[in-house]
Amino acid sequence: MPSYRVRANVGLLRPGTSAPDLLPDAVAFARTLVTVEACDVEVVRGRARVTVRYQADDDPSARRAGWAILHRLDELAEIDGRQPTRRFGNRWYPVRPDRAP
């Protein structure tokens, strides 16, 4: 099964959100949609960056799940640098948009 991920740089937290709860909340939400493989918070160039890696059946469902996870993160904090990606080998590529047949 393909591996996907979403990453987002985190800015100011929204009212009612605490820093220790940001990642667990996003992961709990993601688990309602997909199988979560891994998650992480790291500091890149002085900014927090959240990563949620997950499995999905296909690119369209992975893309929808990825944007839903990013939307949930956006409800918790100001975010930027967001993009659902798919792993091919050891590299990550943007998931293509749904296309009508």
Side-chain angles (χ1 to χ4, degrees):
M1 186 169 288
S3 185
Y4 300 89
R5 76 176 179 195
V6 290
R7 283 182 147 177
N9 299 317
V10 178
L12 295 175
L13 299 177
R14 308 262 187 230
T17 302
S18 67
D21 294 334
L22 179 70
L23 183 60
D25 187 299
V27 170
F29 176 78
R31 285 190 172 126
T32 67
L33 305 170
V34 291
T35 301
V36 175
E37 296 178 319
C39 59
D40 189 31
V41 175
E42 57 191 326
V43 177
V44 178
R45 292 184 284 270
R47 294 191 65 198
R49 180 170 65 189
V50 172
T51 302
V52 178
R53 199 174 80 213
Y54 58 96
Q55 293 179 343
D57 293 331
D58 54 33
D59 285 359
S61 60
R63 184 174 165 80
R64 285 189 297 275
W67 285 113
I69 296 164
L70 289 166
H71 179 74
R72 178 63 187 146
L73 280 168
D74 193 46
E75 292 175 342
L76 301 171
E78 293 178 7
I79 63 170
D80 63 27
R82 48 189 145 183
Q83 175 75 47
T85 55
R86 178 180 176 172
R87 186 174 184 159
F88 288 98
N90 62 351
R91 300 198 55 189
W92 294 89
Y93 297 92
V95 178
R96 294 181 183 210
D98 297 338
R99 293 187 180 158

